[in-house]
Amino acid sequence: MIIKLMFSKTVKNSKEVLHFIKEFNSDLGVVFGNGDRNSIKLFDLDGKTINIKSFKVPHLINKVVYKNFRKSKARRSYEYATVLLEKGIGTPEPIAFLEKFNWLGLQDSYYASEHLAAELTFRELVEIPDYPDHENILRQFTRFSYDLHEKGIEFMDHSPGNTLIKKISENQYQFFLVDLNRMNFHESMDFDMRMKNLSRLTPKKEMIAIMSDEYAKLYSESSAEIFEKMWGATNDFQTAFAKKHKMKKKLKFWKA
Protein backbone atom coordinates (compact mmCIF):
# COMPACT_ATOMS: atom_id res chain seq x y z
CA MET A 1 0.00 0.00 0.00
CA ILE A 2 1.31 3.45 -0.96
CA ILE A 3 -0.04 6.52 0.82
CA LYS A 4 0.31 10.06 -0.49
CA LEU A 5 -0.49 12.83 1.98
CA MET A 6 -0.21 16.61 1.96
CA PHE A 7 -1.12 19.21 4.58
CA SER A 8 -1.61 22.93 4.23
CA LYS A 9 1.15 25.01 5.80
CA THR A 10 -1.47 26.62 8.05
CA VAL A 11 -2.37 23.31 9.77
CA LYS A 12 -0.93 23.04 13.28
CA ASN A 13 -2.47 19.75 14.44
CA SER A 14 -1.76 17.47 11.48
CA LYS A 15 -1.61 14.31 13.62
CA GLU A 16 -5.22 14.84 14.72
CA VAL A 17 -6.38 15.41 11.14
CA LEU A 18 -4.63 12.20 10.06
CA HIS A 19 -6.30 10.37 12.95
CA PHE A 20 -9.72 11.58 11.77
CA ILE A 21 -9.01 10.31 8.26
CA LYS A 22 -7.79 6.92 9.47
CA GLU A 23 -10.89 6.55 11.67
CA PHE A 24 -13.30 7.92 9.05
CA ASN A 25 -15.32 4.69 8.89
CA SER A 26 -15.62 4.40 12.66
CA ASP A 27 -18.20 6.12 14.90
CA LEU A 28 -15.93 9.15 15.16
CA GLY A 29 -17.29 12.36 13.63
CA VAL A 30 -20.75 13.46 12.54
CA VAL A 31 -22.19 12.45 9.16
CA PHE A 32 -23.01 15.45 6.95
CA GLY A 33 -25.31 15.27 3.93
CA ASN A 34 -26.96 12.24 2.35
CA GLY A 35 -23.80 10.48 1.15
CA ASP A 36 -25.30 9.56 -2.23
CA ARG A 37 -21.99 9.81 -4.10
CA ASN A 38 -19.31 10.62 -1.53
CA SER A 39 -19.33 10.44 2.26
CA ILE A 40 -18.73 13.59 4.34
CA LYS A 41 -18.11 13.82 8.07
CA LEU A 42 -17.57 16.76 10.41
CA PHE A 43 -14.93 16.74 13.13
CA ASP A 44 -13.89 19.15 15.86
CA LEU A 45 -10.29 20.33 15.50
CA ASP A 46 -9.07 22.67 18.23
CA GLY A 47 -12.55 24.17 18.66
CA LYS A 48 -13.20 24.57 14.93
CA THR A 49 -15.29 22.31 12.70
CA ILE A 50 -13.53 20.66 9.78
CA ASN A 51 -15.09 18.79 6.88
CA ILE A 52 -13.59 15.54 5.54
CA LYS A 53 -14.87 14.05 2.30
CA SER A 54 -14.26 10.41 1.50
CA PHE A 55 -14.57 9.98 -2.26
CA LYS A 56 -16.37 7.00 -3.72
CA VAL A 57 -14.02 4.12 -4.54
CA PRO A 58 -13.37 4.41 -8.31
CA HIS A 59 -14.24 1.63 -10.74
CA LEU A 60 -11.49 -0.55 -12.19
CA ILE A 61 -10.47 1.69 -15.11
CA ASN A 62 -10.37 4.85 -12.98
CA LYS A 63 -8.28 3.09 -10.34
CA VAL A 64 -5.57 2.79 -12.97
CA VAL A 65 -6.21 6.25 -14.45
CA TYR A 66 -5.90 7.99 -11.07
CA LYS A 67 -2.67 6.15 -10.33
CA ASN A 68 -0.90 6.75 -13.62
CA PHE A 69 -2.53 9.47 -15.72
CA ARG A 70 -4.70 11.84 -13.73
CA LYS A 71 -4.78 13.41 -10.29
CA SER A 72 -7.42 12.08 -7.91
CA LYS A 73 -10.53 14.10 -7.06
CA ALA A 74 -9.16 14.60 -3.54
CA ARG A 75 -5.87 16.02 -4.77
CA ARG A 76 -7.55 18.23 -7.38
CA SER A 77 -9.96 19.57 -4.73
CA TYR A 78 -7.02 20.51 -2.49
CA GLU A 79 -4.95 22.07 -5.27
CA TYR A 80 -7.87 23.93 -6.86
CA ALA A 81 -8.93 25.36 -3.50
CA THR A 82 -5.40 26.66 -3.04
CA VAL A 83 -5.46 28.31 -6.49
CA LEU A 84 -8.90 29.86 -5.88
CA LEU A 85 -7.77 31.46 -2.63
CA GLU A 86 -4.62 32.78 -4.35
CA LYS A 87 -6.89 34.39 -6.96
CA GLY A 88 -9.14 35.94 -4.32
CA ILE A 89 -12.10 33.59 -4.86
CA GLY A 90 -14.02 32.32 -1.84
CA THR A 91 -13.81 28.64 -0.93
CA PRO A 92 -13.41 26.78 2.38
CA GLU A 93 -9.78 26.73 3.51
CA PRO A 94 -8.04 23.53 2.32
CA ILE A 95 -6.43 21.44 5.07
CA ALA A 96 -5.16 18.19 3.58
CA PHE A 97 -5.63 15.40 1.09
CA LEU A 98 -4.74 11.72 1.38
CA GLU A 99 -4.60 9.01 -1.30
CA LYS A 100 -4.17 5.25 -0.82
CA PHE A 101 -2.89 3.15 -3.73
CA ASN A 102 -2.36 -0.60 -4.11
CA TRP A 103 -0.59 -2.41 -6.97
CA LEU A 104 -3.58 -1.86 -9.25
CA GLY A 105 -4.43 1.76 -8.57
CA LEU A 106 -6.26 4.22 -6.34
CA GLN A 107 -8.17 2.66 -3.45
CA ASP A 108 -9.32 5.47 -1.15
CA SER A 109 -8.97 9.24 -1.19
CA TYR A 110 -9.91 11.99 1.26
CA TYR A 111 -10.08 15.77 1.19
CA ALA A 112 -10.14 17.79 4.42
CA SER A 113 -11.15 21.44 4.57
CA GLU A 114 -12.62 24.05 6.84
CA HIS A 115 -16.37 23.53 7.33
CA LEU A 116 -18.22 26.66 6.31
CA ALA A 117 -21.70 27.20 7.74
CA ALA A 118 -23.66 29.33 5.28
CA GLU A 119 -27.15 30.84 5.29
CA LEU A 120 -28.04 29.37 1.89
CA THR A 121 -26.83 28.01 -1.42
CA PHE A 122 -27.80 29.17 -4.90
CA ARG A 123 -30.38 26.36 -4.87
CA GLU A 124 -32.60 28.31 -2.46
CA LEU A 125 -32.72 31.20 -4.93
CA VAL A 126 -34.05 28.79 -7.56
CA GLU A 127 -36.53 26.99 -5.34
CA ILE A 128 -37.75 29.92 -3.21
CA PRO A 129 -38.54 32.86 -5.53
CA ASP A 130 -39.67 35.05 -2.61
CA TYR A 131 -36.51 34.38 -0.59
CA PRO A 132 -35.63 37.62 1.29
CA ASP A 133 -33.46 39.99 -0.77
CA HIS A 134 -33.66 37.53 -3.68
CA GLU A 135 -32.84 39.88 -6.56
CA ASN A 136 -29.99 41.61 -4.72
CA ILE A 137 -28.37 38.24 -3.91
CA LEU A 138 -28.80 37.09 -7.51
CA ARG A 139 -27.19 40.25 -8.88
CA GLN A 140 -24.26 39.96 -6.46
CA PHE A 141 -23.86 36.30 -7.41
CA THR A 142 -23.76 37.33 -11.08
CA ARG A 143 -20.95 39.78 -10.32
CA PHE A 144 -19.15 36.99 -8.47
CA SER A 145 -19.50 34.75 -11.54
CA TYR A 146 -18.23 37.54 -13.78
CA ASP A 147 -15.17 37.83 -11.52
CA LEU A 148 -14.56 34.08 -11.95
CA HIS A 149 -14.69 34.48 -15.72
CA GLU A 150 -12.42 37.53 -15.73
CA LYS A 151 -9.85 35.50 -13.79
CA GLY A 152 -10.11 32.64 -16.31
CA ILE A 153 -11.75 30.22 -13.88
CA GLU A 154 -14.07 27.73 -15.55
CA PHE A 155 -15.88 25.98 -12.71
CA MET A 156 -17.27 22.90 -14.46
CA ASP A 157 -19.72 22.15 -11.65
CA HIS A 158 -21.13 25.69 -11.44
CA SER A 159 -24.52 24.31 -10.36
CA PRO A 160 -27.12 25.27 -7.71
CA GLY A 161 -25.70 23.34 -4.75
CA ASN A 162 -22.05 24.26 -5.22
CA THR A 163 -22.04 27.91 -4.17
CA LEU A 164 -22.41 28.67 -0.46
CA ILE A 165 -23.75 32.14 0.32
CA LYS A 166 -23.02 34.02 3.56
CA LYS A 167 -24.63 37.27 4.58
CA ILE A 168 -21.96 39.66 5.85
CA SER A 169 -24.04 42.82 6.35
CA GLU A 170 -27.60 44.03 5.86
CA ASN A 171 -27.38 43.85 2.06
CA GLN A 172 -23.97 42.37 1.28
CA TYR A 173 -23.11 38.71 0.62
CA GLN A 174 -20.04 36.55 0.12
CA PHE A 175 -19.88 33.50 -2.13
CA PHE A 176 -17.84 30.33 -1.66
CA LEU A 177 -17.34 27.52 -4.17
CA VAL A 178 -17.43 23.88 -3.05
CA ASP A 179 -17.12 20.51 -4.80
CA LEU A 180 -14.05 21.70 -6.66
CA ASN A 181 -12.58 18.68 -8.42
CA ARG A 182 -13.71 19.71 -11.94
CA MET A 183 -12.17 23.04 -12.89
CA ASN A 184 -10.20 24.57 -15.76
CA PHE A 185 -8.00 27.66 -15.68
CA HIS A 186 -7.61 29.83 -18.79
CA GLU A 187 -5.76 32.94 -19.84
CA SER A 188 -9.16 34.32 -20.88
CA MET A 189 -12.73 33.10 -21.47
CA ASP A 190 -14.72 34.04 -24.58
CA PHE A 191 -18.41 34.93 -24.65
CA ASP A 192 -19.67 31.42 -25.50
CA MET A 193 -17.60 29.81 -22.77
CA ARG A 194 -18.85 32.31 -20.17
CA MET A 195 -22.50 31.79 -21.05
CA LYS A 196 -22.19 28.00 -21.16
CA ASN A 197 -20.60 28.15 -17.72
CA LEU A 198 -23.80 29.75 -16.37
CA SER A 199 -26.16 27.30 -18.07
CA ARG A 200 -26.52 24.80 -15.20
CA LEU A 201 -27.68 27.23 -12.53
CA THR A 202 -31.39 27.77 -13.12
CA PRO A 203 -34.09 26.87 -15.65
CA LYS A 204 -36.10 29.96 -14.68
CA LYS A 205 -36.35 32.58 -17.39
CA GLU A 206 -36.95 35.43 -14.95
CA MET A 207 -33.69 34.63 -13.14
CA ILE A 208 -31.78 34.46 -16.44
CA ALA A 209 -33.20 37.90 -17.31
CA ILE A 210 -31.86 39.42 -14.08
CA MET A 211 -28.48 37.72 -14.47
CA SER A 212 -28.23 38.91 -18.08
CA ASP A 213 -29.03 42.49 -17.07
CA GLU A 214 -26.37 42.46 -14.33
CA TYR A 215 -23.71 40.73 -16.43
CA ALA A 216 -24.24 43.31 -19.20
CA LYS A 217 -23.25 46.10 -16.78
CA LEU A 218 -19.79 44.52 -16.62
CA TYR A 219 -19.28 42.96 -20.05
CA SER A 220 -19.02 44.25 -23.61
CA GLU A 221 -22.22 42.59 -24.92
CA SER A 222 -25.73 44.02 -24.53
CA SER A 223 -28.24 42.66 -22.05
CA ALA A 224 -30.37 41.32 -24.92
CA GLU A 225 -27.41 39.49 -26.50
CA ILE A 226 -26.35 38.04 -23.15
CA PHE A 227 -29.89 36.90 -22.39
CA GLU A 228 -30.24 35.21 -25.78
CA LYS A 229 -26.94 33.36 -25.41
CA MET A 230 -27.42 32.44 -21.74
CA TRP A 231 -31.01 31.29 -22.26
CA GLY A 232 -29.99 29.24 -25.29
CA ALA A 233 -27.17 27.57 -23.36
CA THR A 234 -29.55 26.88 -20.47
CA ASN A 235 -32.10 25.24 -22.75
CA ASP A 236 -29.37 23.11 -24.35
CA PHE A 237 -28.25 21.94 -20.92
CA GLN A 238 -31.79 21.20 -19.71
CA THR A 239 -32.52 19.17 -22.86
CA ALA A 240 -29.32 17.15 -22.51
CA PHE A 241 -29.94 16.65 -18.78
CA ALA A 242 -33.50 15.38 -19.41
CA LYS A 243 -32.25 12.91 -22.05
CA LYS A 244 -29.54 11.64 -19.71
CA HIS A 245 -32.03 11.24 -16.85
CA LYS A 246 -34.44 9.36 -19.12
CA MET A 247 -31.66 7.02 -20.24
CA LYS A 248 -30.68 6.30 -16.62
CA LYS A 249 -34.28 5.41 -15.77
CA LYS A 250 -34.39 2.99 -18.71
CA LEU A 251 -31.13 1.35 -17.61
CA LYS A 252 -32.46 0.94 -14.05
CA PHE A 253 -35.62 -0.62 -15.45
CA TRP A 254 -33.71 -3.21 -17.49
CA LYS A 255 -31.38 -4.01 -14.59
CA ALA A 256 -34.32 -4.55 -12.20
Side-chain angles (χ1 to χ4, degrees), residues 61-252:
I61 293 175
N62 275 348
K63 285 179 183 288
V64 178
V65 169
Y66 288 141
K67 182 178 183 181
N68 300 288
F69 305 106
R70 194 179 186 199
K71 296 176 181 179
S72 72
K73 292 181 179 181
R75 181 169 184 169
R76 278 182 276 147
S77 297
Y78 176 88
E79 292 182 352
Y80 293 166
T82 302
V83 173
L84 289 180
L85 291 176
E86 288 172 352
K87 291 179 175 290
I89 300 299
T91 193
E93 188 79 29
I95 293 172
F97 77 86
L98 183 145
E99 303 165 319
K100 293 181 185 177
F101 299 89
N102 63 11
W103 65 271
L104 179 61
L106 181 68
Q107 290 294 105
D108 303 313
S109 60
Y110 302 85
Y111 172 55
S113 67
E114 151 194 41
H115 182 69
L116 192 64
E119 283 81 0
L120 71 154
T121 67
F122 190 87
R123 189 181 306 281
E124 280 70 44
L125 298 183
V126 179
E127 297 178 350
I128 310 172
D130 59 349
Y131 192 92
D133 212 16
H134 186 284
E135 182 173 331
N136 179 34
I137 301 172
L138 183 57
R139 287 183 180 278
Q140 289 188 37
F141 170 82
T142 303
R143 294 198 291 273
F144 168 75
S145 295
Y146 173 82
D147 189 37
L148 287 180
H149 297 162
E150 284 294 287
K151 291 173 178 175
I153 300 167
E154 184 186 11
F155 182 31
M156 306 295 286
D157 289 316
H158 204 25
S159 54
N162 290 340
T163 298
L164 308 182
I165 304 173
K166 284 182 67 73
K167 188 173 184 177
I168 57 173
S169 68
E170 187 174 345
N171 60 359
Q172 290 295 315
Y173 300 84
Q174 283 186 332
F175 303 89
F176 302 83
L177 300 182
V178 296
D179 201 0
L180 305 178
N181 64 84
R182 296 203 316 134
M183 197 167 286
N184 293 320
F185 299 94
H186 307 276
E187 287 296 322
S188 63
M189 292 176 65
D190 64 25
F191 185 39
D192 287 349
M193 188 182 293
R194 290 167 183 246
M195 296 301 101
K196 185 177 180 180
N197 187 239
L198 299 172
S199 66
R200 303 180 63 176
L201 289 162
T202 175
K204 293 188 173 182
K205 202 169 189 177
E206 60 273 23
M207 291 182 70
I208 299 294
I210 293 171
M211 293 171 68
S212 300
D213 178 70
E214 193 63 31
Y215 206 98
K217 295 175 182 177
L218 306 165
Y219 196 59
S220 56
E221 303 288 347
S222 70
S223 176
E225 289 169 317
I226 291 173
F227 175 82
E228 182 179 0
K229 182 68 72 172
M230 196 188 302
W231 183 239
T234 297
N235 282 329
D236 289 345
F237 170 76
Q238 292 296 329
T239 300
F241 180 83
K243 286 181 179 178
K244 186 177 180 181
H245 184 68
K246 188 176 181 180
M247 184 63 69
K248 283 184 177 180
K249 287 182 70 174
K250 285 183 177 180
L251 289 173
K252 284 183 180 179

